[in-house]
């Protein structure tokens, strides 16, 4: 059984930093690209970032480029999201997801049916102004 568990969320002031972690079990972690999504109340789920299976290529939503950094440690089956210079608009539940393929491609931010094989329950990030 695949398990995806996020951690590291919390309350931070604008301009602050947080580091999210996501530990995956029950699948061969380095076979798959991994992504972070977020969803704020009343808004659609948004793709934040994706990293390919080997960690060497990354993709970001325009809204987080230059502030967030995605990375992975395949020896520990763990995905990370370093979030710097946080803004109130970053407030959301953040989800980790295992992609169906090893590369992110150009449609990684589409979370429609069948595109991601496993999801975590999320970790809340709240940024105060």
């Amino acid at each position: 059984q695949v398990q995806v568990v996020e951690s590291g969320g919390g309350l931070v002031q604008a301009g602050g930093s947080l580091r999210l972690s996501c530990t995956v079990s029950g699948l061969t972690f380095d076979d798959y690209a991994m992504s972070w999504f977020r969803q704020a109340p009343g808004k659609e789920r948004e793709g934040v970032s994706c990293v390919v299976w080997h960690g060497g290529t990354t993709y970001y939503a325009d809204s987080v480029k230059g502030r967030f950094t995605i990375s992975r440690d395949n020896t520990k089956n763990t995905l990370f999201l370093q979030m710097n210079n946080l803004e109130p608009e970053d407030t959301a539940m953040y989800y980790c997801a295992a992609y169906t393929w090893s590369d992110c491609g150009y449609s990684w931010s589409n979370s429609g049916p069948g595109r991601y094989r496993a999801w975590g329950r999320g970790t809340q990030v709240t940024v105060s102004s």
Side-chain angles (χ1 to χ4, degrees), residues 69-98:
T69 303
I70 191 171
S71 61
R72 63 191 295 163
D73 184 343
N74 287 346
T75 67
K76 297 181 179 179
N77 286 12
T78 303
L79 177 73
F80 302 100
L81 185 68
Q82 178 66 44
M83 304 186 295
N84 298 329
N85 194 21
L86 282 160
E87 303 169 352
E89 294 73 22
D90 296 317
T91 295
M93 185 72 78
Y94 283 71
Y95 298 93
C96 170

Side-chain angles (χ1 to χ4, degrees), residues 3-6 21-25 76-79 96:
Q3 287 193 317
V4 179
V5 181
E6 303 95 337
S21 298
C22 168
T23 302
V24 181
S25 61
K76 297 181 179 179
N77 286 12
T78 303
L79 177 73
C96 170

Side-chain angles (χ1 to χ4, degrees), residues 50 54 57 84 113 117:
C50 183
H54 52 74
T57 304
N84 298 329
R117 60 185 300 128

